[in-house]
Amino acid sequence: MTDIIRTPAAPDASFHASDEAAARLRKRRAAETRLRVYGILAISLAALALVALMWNIVSRTINATTEHYIAMEATIAEDEDDFLGVVKDAAKAAFPYASGRRERRDIYGLFSDGAADDMRREQTEGTLVAGEGIERRFLMSDTADLYMRGTFGALEGQATAGPLTLTEEGGGYRLDAADGAFSEALGRAKAGLAREAADWRAQARRQAAGIETLTARLPDLTGAERESTLAQIARFEAERDRLNGLADGLDALVTAGRDVQIDLTNRMASFFVAARGGILKLTKVSADTALAVPLVPVEGAGTAPDGAWSLRILDRPEIGRPVKDRQVAILETLKAEGRIEEVANWRFFSLSDSTQPEIAGIKGALVGSALTMLVTFCLAFPIGVMAAIYLEEFAPKNRLTDFIEVNINNLAAVPSIVFGLLGLAVFLNFFGTPRSSPLAGGLVLALMTLPTIIIAARAAIRAVPPSIRWAAMGIGASRTQTVFHHVLPLAMPGILTGTIIGMAQALGETAPLLMIGMVAFITAVPEGITDSATVLPVQIFNWANASERAFDMRTAAAIAVLLLFLVLMNALAIFLRKRFERRW
């Protein structure tokens, strides 16, 4: 029988040149363009998020790289043991006008306990210079340091014209100026009163809402309960009227003319006048006159000529910041005298944790992390590699090994907190491992890292060509010699890459370590794997939850250090892979 070969008919050229085909082509190209745009947009958004994160961390970290000191003269005895007293005596000598307890407390608040610790450390090291009139630097407190960084706002200078006359009045000074020199201060004071009046009215509205609610319940009440509710309504009405009266009084001051004098409270912006060698704080103000109290003593009553005095405003109210107005005035005076120094903050790497942010460091956490990672590596690496070799080269293929492989893969996806619970139950409660120690932390992280190392090691061993094994056996090598002398060395770059990635993951873990007590406040640097310690991620966790504002920048700096270690470990993994990679 003869086969009939049918030649397919040539496509009609008019079909591809039709308007319908052109529309389909345009639609396909538009879809490709949209896909390309979506991809570019996704990458751009991811890059933008990464840049925002890094900018936030870096901008805060920069502040932690420096610290501020106050330069003063001090008297230190050869056998001195009260270094905190040395700091206070130096402060008294530097600010003799601070005679009251409150004034001295404000001045002492400018200095950190770290200033005394520095002298004590120098005495131990034999480098402390003793004697009278010793010029040295004293570490600032965290609040003073934050002010110097502008965290609570900066003094805003206002233009002034004409002379300023200071007249003693009621324990302070009356300030007289011309051409509305205090108009800006008066305007901001009125703005503060307007905000306060709005707050009073908001509270009055809440009282009125309570009155409406109670009034609606009255028809359903009888007897003593009704009388109690009526009494409560009367109290709410009285409070509402009082609040509205306060708001009306403030509104009257806000709408008054430029000659009205307004009392300045700590809920308003702070107003400072620098004149005649001192700094005064305004307590009452109108457009041309003001009452003030000296924070840094002036030379007495008199006249400051045009250009010899200035008005400065700190917008953030005193009640809303830890640094007080007297401290602000003293810091500005010290700054003008050049007695404030900003130096590199090396103590961040040389000190351990502390309740005072200015003397808190990460040395203890770094050592604790290193010891924990050492325990993790010494346990996870050999066990993981041996397990991978056995499963890949020696274990029979049966249901038991299949069950083991499935569980290894499942363990790699188990949340880290589960390993923390396991460590708490087994290592701490059953075996009695020291709590909050690198040994306990290393055991928990080793369990968490094992699946990652086993999976990576098996993949690296499997990637070695079978011809290597056949060639080794062909010249008389045993199975064990083939694996350890030929296969394992060729697979080692991949094994190391997976191990480093697993260790990097373990370095950043916090949850399992919190479960075994490594969240404890540790100020001493651990000397062994059984000493109490903390690690860098937990240190970051503790600082992030601290109430002091100064811990924010130290948290960012610790995050930057942790990210640096993670980047270096991942870069090492890439280097090893590229350096020892074999192409078969």
Side-chain angles (χ1 to χ4, degrees):
M1 186 173 63
T2 305
D3 293 334
I4 299 175
I5 301 175
R6 298 181 181 274
T7 304
D12 188 359
S14 61
F15 174 79
H16 294 289
S18 64
D19 293 339
E20 183 180 355
R24 286 197 300 270
L25 181 61
R26 287 195 299 271
K27 185 177 180 180
R28 185 166 65 249
R29 289 177 176 173
E32 293 175 355
T33 302
R34 285 197 302 273
L35 180 60
R36 189 180 301 111
V37 171
Y38 293 155
I40 295 174
L41 182 62
I43 294 175
S44 300
L45 290 176
L48 184 62
L50 179 61
V51 169
L53 174 64
M54 295 306 299
W55 173 255
N56 186 29
I57 294 175
V58 171
S59 61
R60 296 188 180 191
T61 301
I62 291 175
N63 287 330
T65 59
T66 58
E67 54 187 356
H68 289 90
Y69 288 81
I70 299 176
M72 296 188 307
E73 289 187 354
T75 299
I76 306 174
E78 289 287 347
D79 55 348
E80 186 66 63
D81 58 354
D82 183 15
F83 291 104
L84 191 59
V86 171
V87 177
K88 291 182 177 182
D89 291 341
K92 290 177 185 177
F95 311 103
Y97 50 82
S99 56
R101 178 180 300 178
R102 182 176 180 180
E103 289 82 357
R104 287 184 178 176
R105 185 170 63 248
D106 288 342
I107 291 177
Y108 296 157
L110 298 177
F111 300 90
S112 168
D113 290 347
D117 294 338
D118 290 341
M119 289 185 285
R120 190 174 295 108
R121 189 180 306 110
E122 292 175 13
Q123 186 184 57
T124 302
E125 297 171 353
T127 59
L128 180 65
V129 178
E132 294 185 2
I134 301 298
E135 186 73 21
R136 66 173 293 120
R137 302 178 306 182
F138 295 89
L139 182 66
M140 273 191 184
S141 65
D142 59 325
T143 54
D145 182 80
L146 288 175
Y147 173 78
M148 296 304 301
R149 300 180 190 280
T151 304
F152 307 121
L155 284 180
E156 178 184 348
Q158 296 295 320
T160 57
L164 177 71
T165 302
L166 284 71
T167 306
E168 293 187 11
E169 183 176 313
Y173 290 89
R174 174 187 174 88
L175 311 181
D176 294 290
D179 301 325
F182 301 119
S183 296
E184 179 66 22
L186 179 64
R188 297 205 187 188
K190 287 185 174 182
L193 291 178
R195 290 192 297 270
E196 192 171 347
D199 292 339
W200 291 131
R201 294 199 185 281
Q203 294 184 36
R205 286 193 296 270
R206 287 194 289 271
Q207 297 292 329
I211 293 171
E212 293 179 3
T213 301
L214 294 174
T215 303
R217 294 173 52 193
L218 280 177
D220 301 328
L221 303 177
T222 58
E225 190 175 1
R226 180 182 177 86
E227 294 298 326
S228 175
T229 303
L230 287 172
Q232 190 174 5
I233 290 175
R235 289 195 299 270
F236 280 12
E237 288 176 343
E239 182 65 11
R240 178 199 60 191
D241 294 340
R242 186 185 72 85
L243 294 173
N244 282 327
L246 291 174
D248 291 340
L250 295 180
D251 286 339
L253 290 175
V254 172
T255 57
R258 64 195 302 272
D259 293 331
V260 64
Q261 273 205 341
I262 294 180
D263 290 325
L264 303 177
T265 67
N266 60 358
R267 297 181 180 275
M268 303 178 184
S270 296
F271 306 94
F272 303 92
V273 171
R276 297 184 59 79
I279 297 179
L280 303 101
K281 176 188 175 181
L282 303 189
T283 57
K284 280 189 176 183
V285 66
S286 65
D288 298 326
T289 63
L291 295 182
V293 293
L295 300 179
V296 175
V298 298
E299 297 172 356
T303 300
D306 184 13
W309 68 281
S310 62
L311 171 65
R312 297 180 181 179
I313 302 175
L314 187 58
D315 264 333
R316 188 162 180 175
E318 185 179 23
I319 197 173
R321 47 183 161 84
V323 59
K324 303 306 178 184
D325 287 339
R326 186 180 306 278
Q327 294 174 325
V328 170
I330 293 174
L331 288 173
E332 291 296 327
T333 302
L334 293 172
K335 182 179 178 181
E337 295 174 354
R339 295 165 62 185
I340 294 180
E341 301 179 20
E342 185 176 8
V343 300
N345 184 16
W346 296 112
R347 71 173 65 237
F348 181 72
F349 298 98
S350 61
L351 298 179
S352 296
D353 196 10
S354 173
T355 56
Q356 300 181 52
E358 68 275 13
I359 56 175
I362 61 172
K363 181 178 180 180
L366 285 177
V367 175
S369 294
L371 293 174
T372 303
M373 289 298 103
L374 177 64
V375 174
T376 301
F377 179 80
C378 291
L379 291 175
F381 180 72
I383 295 175
V385 173
M386 291 298 104
I389 291 174
Y390 174 76
L391 290 173
E392 198 63 33
E393 296 291 340
F394 297 101
K397 301 302 179 183
N398 51 35
R399 290 185 178 181
L400 178 60
T401 55
D402 291 342
F403 177 76
I404 293 174
E405 290 179 6
V406 169
N407 280 278
I408 289 174
N409 293 328
N410 288 337
L411 283 174
V414 170
S416 59
I417 189 69
V418 176
F419 291 99
L421 292 171
L422 176 64
L424 178 63
V426 177
F427 299 132
L428 268 64
N429 294 338
F430 186 76
F431 288 108
T433 305
R435 191 179 183 88
S436 186
S437 65
L439 177 59
L443 289 170
V444 172
L445 294 180
L447 287 179
M448 191 189 71
T449 310
L450 262 178
T452 303
I453 296 178
I454 292 174
I455 293 171
R458 291 190 65 187
I461 292 172
R462 195 181 301 120
V464 177
S467 58
I468 300 295
R469 299 172 177 84
W470 300 338
M473 292 181 183
I475 60 174
S478 66
R479 186 69 177 270
T480 303
Q481 290 174 327
T482 299
V483 170
F484 285 94
H485 294 175
H486 301 280
V487 176
L488 187 59
L490 294 176
M492 191 55 68
I495 295 174
L496 290 176
T497 299
T499 301
I500 293 173
I501 292 175
M503 295 292 292
Q505 178 188 2
L507 178 62
E509 283 295 338
T510 305
L513 301 181
L514 296 180
M515 296 301 301
I516 62 171
M518 296 195 80
V519 70
F521 177 71
I522 306 296
T523 58
V525 178
E527 298 180 355
I529 61 174
T530 58
D531 294 340
S532 296
T534 187
V535 292
L536 202 52
V538 176
Q539 186 75 82
I540 294 171
F541 174 81
N542 289 335
W543 285 352
N545 291 327
S547 58
E548 289 85 353
R549 182 77 175 271
F551 274 119
D552 287 350
M553 56 185 179
R554 281 161 178 78
T555 301
I559 291 174
V561 173
L562 180 60
L563 288 177
L564 178 62
F565 277 114
L566 295 177
V567 169
L568 291 177
M569 293 180 72
N570 283 277
L572 178 61
I574 295 173
F575 170 77
L576 291 175
R577 185 172 65 248
K578 295 294 185 182
R579 176 68 177 80
F580 298 104
E581 187 177 23
R582 295 288 186 91
R583 297 189 180 276
W584 312 103

